[in-house]
Amino acid sequence: MNCLLLPASAIEGSRAHMSDSAQISHIRQVLKANIGDTLKIGMLGGKLGTGVIETMSERAVQLSDVMLTHAPPPKLDVTVVLALPRPKVLRRLIMDMSALGVRDIVLVNSYRTEKSYWQSPQLARIDEFVLEGLQQGVDTILPRIQMHKRFKPFVEDVLPTLLKRQGIVAHPKTEASFASFMQEAAGSAQALPDVLCIGAEGGWIDYEIDLFAAHQCQALHLGARILRTEAAVNALLGQWLLHPQASEKCF
Amino acid sequence: MNCLLLPASAIEGSRAHMSDSAQISHIRQVLKANIGDTLKIGMLGGKLGTGVIETMSERAVQLSDVMLTHAPPPKLDVTVVLALPRPKVLRRLIMDMSALGVRDIVLVNSYRTEKSYWQSPQLARIDEFVLEGLQQGVDTILPRIQMHKRFKPFVEDVLPTLLKRQGIVAHPKTEASFASFMQEAAGSAQALPDVLCIGAEGGWIDYEIDLFAAHQCQALHLGARILRTEAAVNALLGQWLLHPQASEKCF
């Protein structure tokens, strides 16, 4: 946790009350903080700043001198459409996308998503994974998250409402490469794509690729190498995070 | 496993013998392959191709019609210098760097690397993690791996032998940004840096940053967000993997 996020209701003027057990144990065991120490905090949906530990027990920490002065970093101007992954990797994927500042996350069904994934208890923990990611990435603004259990209605009816410029789909079995696409885009001073679709293990099937293509999402390969979903998501989002125009294009 | 890698000694003409238990169980339980099915294989240090299952037991698979026809993808022209991470994340980091095609990996001590990390039994399993990564990324060429338990002698004596052009150090607490650095490099048609240094949790200390700077490695931040080491490694290496010049610069 590179900052500790509190709900607005926990902050009153220059004082704040913390009772989240994960945060308390982080303060005591990882930071090994004492009374009088300053913590980096943020208000969920609000600003970042600091607070000073006034009292501390195993169950609660009371802060004084709370000052929330910094705006959180801009979000990346991108919607990630992710085929619902294995529950085991869901936590890290949601954490990383939240830490990187993805603005919209859509979890969607795909042909290669196993049906059992939609029954996973991990799905009920997404808010927790988002909070972990924001506290890692030092951000206060929750990404918007949608889940769609039916692929075709999502692509036909919802995707067009999310896509303003251009979508791309990571897909090993295609001719066009992400690298050339980005080079052309840079040459014509075109903005980065605003929708990025990433498949489950085994990728998208032809039907899905065709439906995406009919809705302004072009399939692009990342080279000959096949990456784990997590590695692919981070390698691709790095293009938004580290793009020279990224901060201008964000809001 | 997107391909199954065999040592040269397991291949004789058009026949090959597999006895690695992880590979056998992958063939039987994940691929659910039968006699007569074709597998994607590769020779460690050699070419990629296919083989047909001739016989199969719980302990061994015999292949016929082995054809090794494709060269593996080019390596990324980059050395990653990584402060030895927590053992828990070492496996995924080594896997991902191998899958992405990093040519040289250096695990080095840093002020914030806990001493106990060097005693971890995970360190003896690095070859296994590399193999997992290559079988994920469909590559046959092992990255070169070095470990250096002393930071200063490494930077002063070894780093200069690895660095031909320019090194960069990921460091949140600095003025210069990775994005502007890359934009300038692109403007002047300069090649990508060939050394990338990434810290442990908590990053590098000033002494380390100064020593790197004295050896042609410039500190750059990745923006306001702080990423997990794994996410940072993948987001950064994505710049090499997805760079338009990347394939020309590789060997």
Side-chain angles (χ1 to χ4, degrees), chain A residues 82-141:
Chain A
L82 189 70
L84 185 69
R86 270 188 304 143
K88 201 181 149 187
V89 294
L90 182 69
R91 172 172 167 262
R92 288 196 300 266
L93 278 163
I94 297 286
M95 263 185 72
D96 286 347
M97 289 191 285
S98 302
L100 281 156
V102 172
R103 190 195 52 209
D104 284 270
I105 299 171
V106 180
L107 297 174
V108 69
N109 196 42
S110 77
Y111 184 81
R112 297 227 170 84
T113 293
E114 289 186 23
K115 285 212 170 50
S116 64
Y117 296 176
W118 288 104
Q119 266 79 56
S120 165
Q122 295 295 84
L123 279 182
R125 296 180 59 198
I126 285 185
D127 290 351
E128 196 182 310
F129 306 154
V130 165
L131 194 66
E132 276 189 84
L134 294 177
Q135 293 185 131
Q136 166 71 46
V138 194
D139 189 1
T140 67
I141 311 292

Short mmCIF file of all heavy atoms in Angstrom, two decimals, chain A residues 82-141:
data_model
loop_
_atom_site.label_atom_id
_atom_site.label_comp_id
_atom_site.label_asym_id
_atom_site.label_seq_id
_atom_site.Cartn_x
_atom_site.Cartn_y
_atom_site.Cartn_z
N LEU A 82 -12.06 -7.41 -21.12
CA LEU A 82 -11.28 -8.60 -20.79
C LEU A 82 -12.21 -9.80 -20.73
O LEU A 82 -13.22 -9.78 -20.01
CB LEU A 82 -10.64 -8.37 -19.42
CG LEU A 82 -9.61 -9.35 -18.91
CD1 LEU A 82 -8.32 -9.25 -19.72
CD2 LEU A 82 -9.31 -9.08 -17.43
N ALA A 83 -11.89 -10.84 -21.51
CA ALA A 83 -12.64 -12.09 -21.37
C ALA A 83 -12.43 -12.56 -19.93
O ALA A 83 -11.29 -12.59 -19.45
CB ALA A 83 -12.15 -13.12 -22.36
N LEU A 84 -13.50 -12.90 -19.23
CA LEU A 84 -13.37 -13.26 -17.82
C LEU A 84 -12.27 -14.31 -17.65
O LEU A 84 -12.34 -15.40 -18.21
CB LEU A 84 -14.70 -13.80 -17.27
CG LEU A 84 -14.68 -14.07 -15.76
CD1 LEU A 84 -14.59 -12.77 -14.97
CD2 LEU A 84 -15.90 -14.87 -15.33
N PRO A 85 -11.24 -14.00 -16.87
CA PRO A 85 -10.10 -14.93 -16.75
C PRO A 85 -10.32 -15.94 -15.63
O PRO A 85 -11.30 -15.85 -14.88
CB PRO A 85 -8.95 -13.99 -16.40
CG PRO A 85 -9.59 -12.90 -15.61
CD PRO A 85 -11.00 -12.75 -16.14
N ARG A 86 -9.38 -16.88 -15.53
CA ARG A 86 -9.39 -17.83 -14.41
C ARG A 86 -9.44 -17.06 -13.10
O ARG A 86 -8.72 -16.07 -12.93
CB ARG A 86 -8.08 -18.63 -14.42
CG ARG A 86 -8.13 -19.89 -15.23
CD ARG A 86 -6.88 -20.70 -15.02
NE ARG A 86 -5.69 -19.93 -15.33
CZ ARG A 86 -4.55 -20.01 -14.68
NH1 ARG A 86 -4.42 -20.82 -13.64
NH2 ARG A 86 -3.51 -19.28 -15.04
N PRO A 87 -10.25 -17.54 -12.14
CA PRO A 87 -10.36 -16.84 -10.85
C PRO A 87 -8.99 -16.58 -10.21
O PRO A 87 -8.77 -15.52 -9.62
CB PRO A 87 -11.18 -17.81 -10.00
CG PRO A 87 -12.00 -18.58 -10.99
CD PRO A 87 -11.17 -18.70 -12.22
N LYS A 88 -8.07 -17.52 -10.39
CA LYS A 88 -6.75 -17.40 -9.78
C LYS A 88 -6.01 -16.13 -10.23
O LYS A 88 -5.23 -15.56 -9.46
CB LYS A 88 -5.93 -18.64 -10.18
CG LYS A 88 -4.77 -18.95 -9.28
CD LYS A 88 -4.02 -20.17 -9.79
CE LYS A 88 -2.55 -20.07 -9.43
NZ LYS A 88 -1.76 -21.14 -10.04
N VAL A 89 -6.20 -15.73 -11.47
CA VAL A 89 -5.47 -14.55 -11.95
C VAL A 89 -6.32 -13.29 -11.93
O VAL A 89 -5.82 -12.19 -12.17
CB VAL A 89 -4.89 -14.76 -13.38
CG1 VAL A 89 -3.82 -15.83 -13.37
CG2 VAL A 89 -5.96 -15.10 -14.39
N LEU A 90 -7.61 -13.43 -11.59
CA LEU A 90 -8.51 -12.27 -11.59
C LEU A 90 -8.01 -11.18 -10.64
O LEU A 90 -7.99 -10.00 -10.99
CB LEU A 90 -9.93 -12.70 -11.20
CG LEU A 90 -10.98 -11.59 -11.21
CD1 LEU A 90 -11.26 -11.11 -12.63
CD2 LEU A 90 -12.29 -12.06 -10.55
N ARG A 91 -7.58 -11.58 -9.43
CA ARG A 91 -7.17 -10.59 -8.44
C ARG A 91 -6.04 -9.72 -8.98
O ARG A 91 -6.12 -8.49 -8.94
CB ARG A 91 -6.73 -11.28 -7.14
CG ARG A 91 -6.10 -10.33 -6.15
CD ARG A 91 -5.83 -10.95 -4.79
NE ARG A 91 -4.96 -10.07 -4.02
CZ ARG A 91 -3.64 -10.22 -3.92
NH1 ARG A 91 -3.05 -11.25 -4.50
NH2 ARG A 91 -2.92 -9.37 -3.23
N ARG A 92 -4.98 -10.36 -9.47
CA ARG A 92 -3.83 -9.58 -9.93
C ARG A 92 -4.18 -8.72 -11.15
O ARG A 92 -3.69 -7.60 -11.29
CB ARG A 92 -2.63 -10.49 -10.23
CG ARG A 92 -1.99 -11.05 -8.96
CD ARG A 92 -0.61 -11.61 -9.23
NE ARG A 92 -0.65 -12.68 -10.21
CZ ARG A 92 -0.74 -13.98 -9.91
NH1 ARG A 92 -0.77 -14.37 -8.66
NH2 ARG A 92 -0.77 -14.88 -10.87
N LEU A 93 -5.04 -9.25 -12.03
CA LEU A 93 -5.44 -8.46 -13.20
C LEU A 93 -6.22 -7.21 -12.80
O LEU A 93 -5.94 -6.12 -13.30
CB LEU A 93 -6.28 -9.33 -14.15
CG LEU A 93 -5.47 -10.24 -15.07
CD1 LEU A 93 -6.37 -11.33 -15.67
CD2 LEU A 93 -4.84 -9.42 -16.20
N ILE A 94 -7.17 -7.38 -11.90
CA ILE A 94 -7.97 -6.22 -11.45
C ILE A 94 -7.07 -5.23 -10.70
O ILE A 94 -7.14 -4.01 -10.91
CB ILE A 94 -9.15 -6.67 -10.56
CG1 ILE A 94 -10.13 -7.56 -11.35
CG2 ILE A 94 -9.87 -5.47 -9.95
CD1 ILE A 94 -10.99 -6.84 -12.36
N MET A 95 -6.20 -5.76 -9.84
CA MET A 95 -5.26 -4.91 -9.10
C MET A 95 -4.40 -4.09 -10.05
O MET A 95 -4.27 -2.87 -9.90
CB MET A 95 -4.28 -5.78 -8.30
CG MET A 95 -4.63 -5.97 -6.86
SD MET A 95 -3.28 -6.91 -6.07
CE MET A 95 -1.97 -5.63 -6.01
N ASP A 96 -3.80 -4.77 -11.04
CA ASP A 96 -2.88 -4.08 -11.94
C ASP A 96 -3.61 -3.06 -12.80
O ASP A 96 -3.11 -1.93 -12.99
CB ASP A 96 -2.13 -5.08 -12.83
CG ASP A 96 -1.05 -5.84 -12.06
OD1 ASP A 96 -0.73 -5.43 -10.93
OD2 ASP A 96 -0.54 -6.84 -12.58
N MET A 97 -4.77 -3.43 -13.32
CA MET A 97 -5.51 -2.46 -14.15
C MET A 97 -5.91 -1.25 -13.32
O MET A 97 -5.87 -0.11 -13.80
CB MET A 97 -6.74 -3.12 -14.78
CG MET A 97 -6.38 -4.12 -15.87
SD MET A 97 -7.82 -4.67 -16.83
CE MET A 97 -8.59 -5.77 -15.66
N SER A 98 -6.27 -1.47 -12.04
CA SER A 98 -6.63 -0.33 -11.17
C SER A 98 -5.40 0.52 -10.86
O SER A 98 -5.47 1.75 -10.90
CB SER A 98 -7.25 -0.84 -9.86
OG SER A 98 -8.38 -1.63 -10.14
N ALA A 99 -4.26 -0.13 -10.59
CA ALA A 99 -3.03 0.61 -10.27
C ALA A 99 -2.56 1.42 -11.48
O ALA A 99 -2.07 2.53 -11.34
CB ALA A 99 -1.94 -0.35 -9.81
N LEU A 100 -2.72 0.85 -12.67
CA LEU A 100 -2.27 1.53 -13.89
C LEU A 100 -3.21 2.67 -14.28
O LEU A 100 -2.86 3.49 -15.12
CB LEU A 100 -2.19 0.53 -15.05
CG LEU A 100 -0.94 -0.36 -15.09
CD1 LEU A 100 -1.22 -1.64 -15.85
CD2 LEU A 100 0.22 0.38 -15.74
N GLY A 101 -4.41 2.67 -13.71
CA GLY A 101 -5.32 3.80 -13.98
C GLY A 101 -6.29 3.58 -15.12
O GLY A 101 -6.74 4.57 -15.73
N VAL A 102 -6.62 2.32 -15.43
CA VAL A 102 -7.63 2.07 -16.46
C VAL A 102 -8.96 2.71 -16.01
O VAL A 102 -9.36 2.55 -14.86
CB VAL A 102 -7.81 0.55 -16.69
CG1 VAL A 102 -8.98 0.26 -17.61
CG2 VAL A 102 -6.52 -0.05 -17.23
N ARG A 103 -9.61 3.42 -16.93
CA ARG A 103 -10.82 4.16 -16.56
C ARG A 103 -12.05 3.26 -16.51
O ARG A 103 -12.88 3.37 -15.62
CB ARG A 103 -11.02 5.27 -17.59
CG ARG A 103 -12.07 6.29 -17.26
CD ARG A 103 -12.40 7.07 -18.52
NE ARG A 103 -12.70 6.12 -19.58
CZ ARG A 103 -12.51 6.32 -20.89
NH1 ARG A 103 -12.02 7.45 -21.30
NH2 ARG A 103 -12.81 5.38 -21.76
N ASP A 104 -12.17 2.35 -17.50
CA ASP A 104 -13.31 1.45 -17.57
C ASP A 104 -12.82 0.02 -17.77
O ASP A 104 -11.97 -0.24 -18.63
CB ASP A 104 -14.22 1.81 -18.76
CG ASP A 104 -15.06 3.03 -18.50
OD1 ASP A 104 -16.18 2.87 -17.99
OD2 ASP A 104 -14.58 4.15 -18.78
N ILE A 105 -13.36 -0.90 -16.99
CA ILE A 105 -13.02 -2.32 -17.10
C ILE A 105 -14.31 -3.08 -17.40
O ILE A 105 -15.30 -2.91 -16.68
CB ILE A 105 -12.39 -2.85 -15.80
CG1 ILE A 105 -11.08 -2.10 -15.47
CG2 ILE A 105 -12.15 -4.36 -15.87
CD1 ILE A 105 -10.51 -2.41 -14.08
N VAL A 106 -14.29 -3.87 -18.46
CA VAL A 106 -15.46 -4.70 -18.79
C VAL A 106 -15.02 -6.16 -18.74
O VAL A 106 -14.09 -6.56 -19.44
CB VAL A 106 -15.99 -4.38 -20.20
CG1 VAL A 106 -17.20 -5.26 -20.51
CG2 VAL A 106 -16.35 -2.91 -20.33
N LEU A 107 -15.67 -6.96 -17.91
CA LEU A 107 -15.43 -8.40 -17.90
C LEU A 107 -16.54 -9.03 -18.73
O LEU A 107 -17.72 -8.83 -18.44
CB LEU A 107 -15.45 -8.94 -16.46
CG LEU A 107 -14.34 -8.38 -15.56
CD1 LEU A 107 -14.55 -8.86 -14.12
CD2 LEU A 107 -12.96 -8.79 -16.05
N VAL A 108 -16.16 -9.77 -19.75
CA VAL A 108 -17.14 -10.26 -20.69
C VAL A 108 -16.96 -11.76 -20.88
O VAL A 108 -15.87 -12.30 -20.68
CB VAL A 108 -17.01 -9.49 -22.04
CG1 VAL A 108 -15.72 -9.85 -22.76
CG2 VAL A 108 -18.20 -9.72 -22.94
N ASN A 109 -18.04 -12.43 -21.23
CA ASN A 109 -17.93 -13.85 -21.54
C ASN A 109 -17.26 -14.02 -22.90
O ASN A 109 -17.32 -13.13 -23.75
CB ASN A 109 -19.32 -14.48 -21.57
CG ASN A 109 -19.24 -15.98 -21.49
OD1 ASN A 109 -18.46 -16.53 -20.72
ND2 ASN A 109 -20.02 -16.67 -22.30
N SER A 110 -16.60 -15.17 -23.10
CA SER A 110 -16.07 -15.49 -24.41
C SER A 110 -16.18 -17.00 -24.57
O SER A 110 -16.43 -17.72 -23.60
CB SER A 110 -14.61 -15.04 -24.55
OG SER A 110 -13.75 -15.94 -23.88
N TYR A 111 -15.99 -17.47 -25.79
CA TYR A 111 -16.13 -18.90 -26.06
C TYR A 111 -15.17 -19.71 -25.19
O TYR A 111 -15.50 -20.78 -24.72
CB TYR A 111 -15.86 -19.16 -27.55
CG TYR A 111 -16.07 -20.59 -27.95
CD1 TYR A 111 -17.35 -21.07 -28.22
CD2 TYR A 111 -15.00 -21.47 -28.05
CE1 TYR A 111 -17.55 -22.39 -28.57
CE2 TYR A 111 -15.19 -22.79 -28.41
CZ TYR A 111 -16.46 -23.25 -28.67
OH TYR A 111 -16.66 -24.55 -29.01
N ARG A 112 -13.98 -19.17 -24.96
CA ARG A 112 -12.97 -19.93 -24.21
C ARG A 112 -12.98 -19.62 -22.72
O ARG A 112 -12.14 -20.12 -21.98
CB ARG A 112 -11.58 -19.67 -24.80
CG ARG A 112 -11.45 -20.16 -26.24
CD ARG A 112 -10.20 -20.96 -26.49
NE ARG A 112 -10.21 -21.61 -27.80
CZ ARG A 112 -9.86 -21.02 -28.95
NH1 ARG A 112 -9.42 -19.79 -28.95
NH2 ARG A 112 -9.92 -21.69 -30.08
N THR A 113 -13.93 -18.79 -22.25
CA THR A 113 -14.10 -18.59 -20.81
C THR A 113 -14.88 -19.78 -20.27
O THR A 113 -15.98 -20.06 -20.75
CB THR A 113 -14.91 -17.30 -20.53
OG1 THR A 113 -14.14 -16.17 -20.94
CG2 THR A 113 -15.24 -17.16 -19.05
N GLU A 114 -14.32 -20.47 -19.29
CA GLU A 114 -15.06 -21.61 -18.74
C GLU A 114 -16.27 -21.10 -17.94
O GLU A 114 -16.16 -20.12 -17.21
CB GLU A 114 -14.15 -22.46 -17.85
CG GLU A 114 -13.13 -23.21 -18.70
CD GLU A 114 -12.29 -24.19 -17.87
OE1 GLU A 114 -12.75 -24.61 -16.79
OE2 GLU A 114 -11.18 -24.52 -18.32
N LYS A 115 -17.39 -21.80 -18.09
CA LYS A 115 -18.64 -21.34 -17.45
C LYS A 115 -18.47 -21.21 -15.94
O LYS A 115 -19.01 -20.31 -15.32
CB LYS A 115 -19.78 -22.32 -17.75
CG LYS A 115 -20.30 -22.18 -19.17
CD LYS A 115 -21.79 -22.49 -19.26
CE LYS A 115 -22.33 -22.11 -20.63
NZ LYS A 115 -21.50 -22.66 -21.76
N SER A 116 -17.67 -22.11 -15.36
CA SER A 116 -17.51 -22.11 -13.90
C SER A 116 -16.90 -20.81 -13.38
O SER A 116 -17.10 -20.45 -12.22
CB SER A 116 -16.62 -23.28 -13.49
OG SER A 116 -15.31 -23.11 -14.02
N TYR A 117 -16.15 -20.09 -14.25
CA TYR A 117 -15.52 -18.84 -13.79
C TYR A 117 -16.56 -17.83 -13.30
O TYR A 117 -16.29 -17.03 -12.41
CB TYR A 117 -14.70 -18.19 -14.92
CG TYR A 117 -13.51 -18.98 -15.43
CD1 TYR A 117 -12.76 -18.49 -16.50
CD2 TYR A 117 -13.10 -20.17 -14.84
CE1 TYR A 117 -11.66 -19.19 -16.99
CE2 TYR A 117 -12.00 -20.87 -15.33
CZ TYR A 117 -11.29 -20.38 -16.40
OH TYR A 117 -10.21 -21.05 -16.89
N TRP A 118 -17.76 -17.87 -13.92
CA TRP A 118 -18.79 -16.92 -13.52
C TRP A 118 -19.39 -17.24 -12.15
O TRP A 118 -20.10 -16.43 -11.58
CB TRP A 118 -19.91 -16.86 -14.57
CG TRP A 118 -19.49 -16.17 -15.83
CD1 TRP A 118 -19.18 -16.75 -17.03
CD2 TRP A 118 -19.31 -14.76 -16.03
NE1 TRP A 118 -18.81 -15.80 -17.95
CE2 TRP A 118 -18.90 -14.56 -17.37
CE3 TRP A 118 -19.46 -13.64 -15.20
CZ2 TRP A 118 -18.63 -13.30 -17.89
CZ3 TRP A 118 -19.19 -12.38 -15.73
CH2 TRP A 118 -18.79 -12.22 -17.06
N GLN A 119 -19.11 -18.47 -11.65
CA GLN A 119 -19.61 -18.84 -10.32
C GLN A 119 -18.56 -18.60 -9.22
O GLN A 119 -18.82 -18.85 -8.05
CB GLN A 119 -20.00 -20.33 -10.30
CG GLN A 119 -21.46 -20.62 -10.59
CD GLN A 119 -21.77 -20.55 -12.06
OE1 GLN A 119 -21.14 -21.25 -12.85
NE2 GLN A 119 -22.71 -19.71 -12.45
N SER A 120 -17.39 -18.14 -9.62
CA SER A 120 -16.30 -18.03 -8.65
C SER A 120 -16.61 -17.00 -7.55
O SER A 120 -17.08 -15.89 -7.83
CB SER A 120 -15.02 -17.62 -9.36
OG SER A 120 -14.08 -17.18 -8.42
N PRO A 121 -16.32 -17.35 -6.29
CA PRO A 121 -16.48 -16.38 -5.20
C PRO A 121 -15.55 -15.17 -5.35
O PRO A 121 -15.80 -14.13 -4.73
CB PRO A 121 -16.14 -17.19 -3.94
CG PRO A 121 -15.47 -18.44 -4.41
CD PRO A 121 -15.89 -18.67 -5.82
N GLN A 122 -14.51 -15.31 -6.18
CA GLN A 122 -13.60 -14.17 -6.39
C GLN A 122 -14.34 -12.98 -7.02
O GLN A 122 -13.95 -11.84 -6.81
CB GLN A 122 -12.45 -14.57 -7.34
CG GLN A 122 -11.50 -15.62 -6.80
CD GLN A 122 -10.72 -15.15 -5.61
OE1 GLN A 122 -11.20 -15.21 -4.47
NE2 GLN A 122 -9.53 -14.64 -5.84
N LEU A 123 -15.37 -13.27 -7.79
CA LEU A 123 -16.10 -12.18 -8.46
C LEU A 123 -16.73 -11.21 -7.45
O LEU A 123 -16.86 -10.02 -7.72
CB LEU A 123 -17.19 -12.74 -9.38
CG LEU A 123 -16.74 -13.23 -10.76
CD1 LEU A 123 -17.94 -13.70 -11.56
CD2 LEU A 123 -16.01 -12.12 -11.52
N ALA A 124 -17.10 -11.75 -6.29
CA ALA A 124 -17.71 -10.89 -5.26
C ALA A 124 -16.65 -10.04 -4.56
O ALA A 124 -16.98 -9.15 -3.78
CB ALA A 124 -18.45 -11.76 -4.24
N ARG A 125 -15.37 -10.33 -4.82
CA ARG A 125 -14.30 -9.61 -4.13
C ARG A 125 -13.65 -8.53 -4.99
O ARG A 125 -12.61 -7.97 -4.63
CB ARG A 125 -13.23 -10.61 -3.66
CG ARG A 125 -13.76 -11.61 -2.62
CD ARG A 125 -12.67 -12.56 -2.19
NE ARG A 125 -11.54 -11.85 -1.61
CZ ARG A 125 -10.32 -12.38 -1.47
NH1 ARG A 125 -10.09 -13.62 -1.87
NH2 ARG A 125 -9.33 -11.69 -0.95
N ILE A 126 -14.26 -8.25 -6.15
CA ILE A 126 -13.62 -7.32 -7.09
C ILE A 126 -13.37 -5.95 -6.46
O ILE A 126 -12.31 -5.35 -6.66
CB ILE A 126 -14.44 -7.22 -8.40
CG1 ILE A 126 -14.21 -8.50 -9.21
CG2 ILE A 126 -14.06 -5.99 -9.21
CD1 ILE A 126 -14.85 -8.51 -10.57
N ASP A 127 -14.33 -5.44 -5.66
CA ASP A 127 -14.13 -4.12 -5.05
C ASP A 127 -12.88 -4.08 -4.18
O ASP A 127 -12.16 -3.08 -4.15
CB ASP A 127 -15.34 -3.74 -4.19
CG ASP A 127 -16.57 -3.47 -5.04
OD1 ASP A 127 -16.44 -3.40 -6.28
OD2 ASP A 127 -17.68 -3.34 -4.47
N GLU A 128 -12.66 -5.19 -3.49
CA GLU A 128 -11.47 -5.33 -2.63
C GLU A 128 -10.18 -5.29 -3.49
O GLU A 128 -9.21 -4.63 -3.13
CB GLU A 128 -11.61 -6.72 -2.01
CG GLU A 128 -10.82 -7.08 -0.83
CD GLU A 128 -11.15 -8.55 -0.47
OE1 GLU A 128 -12.36 -8.90 -0.35
OE2 GLU A 128 -10.22 -9.34 -0.34
N PHE A 129 -10.21 -5.99 -4.65
CA PHE A 129 -9.03 -6.01 -5.52
C PHE A 129 -8.78 -4.62 -6.12
O PHE A 129 -7.62 -4.20 -6.28
CB PHE A 129 -9.20 -7.03 -6.66
CG PHE A 129 -9.54 -8.42 -6.20
CD1 PHE A 129 -10.24 -9.30 -7.03
CD2 PHE A 129 -9.14 -8.88 -4.94
CE1 PHE A 129 -10.55 -10.59 -6.61
CE2 PHE A 129 -9.46 -10.17 -4.52
CZ PHE A 129 -10.17 -11.02 -5.36
N VAL A 130 -9.87 -3.91 -6.44
CA VAL A 130 -9.73 -2.54 -6.96
C VAL A 130 -9.07 -1.66 -5.91
O VAL A 130 -8.14 -0.90 -6.21
CB VAL A 130 -11.12 -1.97 -7.34
CG1 VAL A 130 -11.05 -0.46 -7.52
CG2 VAL A 130 -11.65 -2.64 -8.60
N LEU A 131 -9.53 -1.77 -4.67
CA LEU A 131 -8.97 -0.96 -3.59
C LEU A 131 -7.48 -1.26 -3.41
O LEU A 131 -6.66 -0.34 -3.26
CB LEU A 131 -9.73 -1.23 -2.28
CG LEU A 131 -9.48 -0.23 -1.16
CD1 LEU A 131 -10.02 1.15 -1.52
CD2 LEU A 131 -10.11 -0.71 0.15
N GLU A 132 -7.13 -2.54 -3.44
CA GLU A 132 -5.70 -2.91 -3.37
C GLU A 132 -4.91 -2.22 -4.48
O GLU A 132 -3.81 -1.72 -4.25
CB GLU A 132 -5.53 -4.43 -3.55
CG GLU A 132 -5.70 -5.25 -2.31
CD GLU A 132 -5.29 -6.71 -2.57
OE1 GLU A 132 -4.09 -7.02 -2.48
OE2 GLU A 132 -6.18 -7.54 -2.88
N GLY A 133 -5.47 -2.25 -5.69
CA GLY A 133 -4.79 -1.66 -6.84
C GLY A 133 -4.63 -0.16 -6.70
O GLY A 133 -3.57 0.40 -6.96
N LEU A 134 -5.68 0.52 -6.25
CA LEU A 134 -5.61 1.98 -6.09
C LEU A 134 -4.59 2.35 -5.01
O LEU A 134 -3.87 3.33 -5.15
CB LEU A 134 -6.99 2.56 -5.75
CG LEU A 134 -8.07 2.45 -6.82
CD1 LEU A 134 -9.39 3.02 -6.29
CD2 LEU A 134 -7.68 3.16 -8.11
N GLN A 135 -4.56 1.56 -3.93
CA GLN A 135 -3.61 1.85 -2.85
C GLN A 135 -2.17 1.55 -3.28
O GLN A 135 -1.23 2.13 -2.76
CB GLN A 135 -3.98 1.06 -1.59
CG GLN A 135 -5.31 1.57 -1.01
CD GLN A 135 -5.71 0.93 0.31
OE1 GLN A 135 -6.06 1.62 1.25
NE2 GLN A 135 -5.66 -0.38 0.40
N GLN A 136 -2.00 0.64 -4.22
CA GLN A 136 -0.69 0.38 -4.83
C GLN A 136 -0.30 1.55 -5.75
O GLN A 136 0.81 2.08 -5.66
CB GLN A 136 -0.74 -0.93 -5.63
CG GLN A 136 0.44 -1.16 -6.59
CD GLN A 136 1.72 -1.47 -5.88
OE1 GLN A 136 1.77 -2.28 -4.95
NE2 GLN A 136 2.81 -0.83 -6.30
N GLY A 137 -1.24 1.93 -6.62
CA GLY A 137 -0.94 2.91 -7.66
C GLY A 137 -1.07 4.36 -7.21
O GLY A 137 -0.77 5.27 -7.97
N VAL A 138 -1.49 4.59 -5.97
CA VAL A 138 -1.68 5.93 -5.40
C VAL A 138 -2.72 6.72 -6.21
O VAL A 138 -2.44 7.74 -6.82
CB VAL A 138 -0.35 6.72 -5.29
CG1 VAL A 138 -0.54 7.94 -4.38
CG2 VAL A 138 0.78 5.85 -4.76
N ASP A 139 -3.90 6.19 -6.23
CA ASP A 139 -5.03 6.80 -6.94
C ASP A 139 -6.24 6.69 -6.03
O ASP A 139 -6.30 5.81 -5.16
CB ASP A 139 -5.25 6.03 -8.26
CG ASP A 139 -6.26 6.70 -9.19
OD1 ASP A 139 -6.80 7.77 -8.84
OD2 ASP A 139 -6.52 6.13 -10.27
N THR A 140 -7.21 7.58 -6.20
CA THR A 140 -8.41 7.54 -5.34
C THR A 140 -9.68 7.24 -6.13
O THR A 140 -10.73 7.00 -5.54
CB THR A 140 -8.63 8.90 -4.63
OG1 THR A 140 -8.97 9.88 -5.62
CG2 THR A 140 -7.39 9.35 -3.88
N ILE A 141 -9.58 7.30 -7.46
CA ILE A 141 -10.79 7.20 -8.30
C ILE A 141 -11.02 5.76 -8.74
O ILE A 141 -10.18 5.17 -9.43
CB ILE A 141 -10.67 8.10 -9.55
CG1 ILE A 141 -10.21 9.52 -9.17
CG2 ILE A 141 -11.99 8.11 -10.33
CD1 ILE A 141 -11.21 10.33 -8.39
#
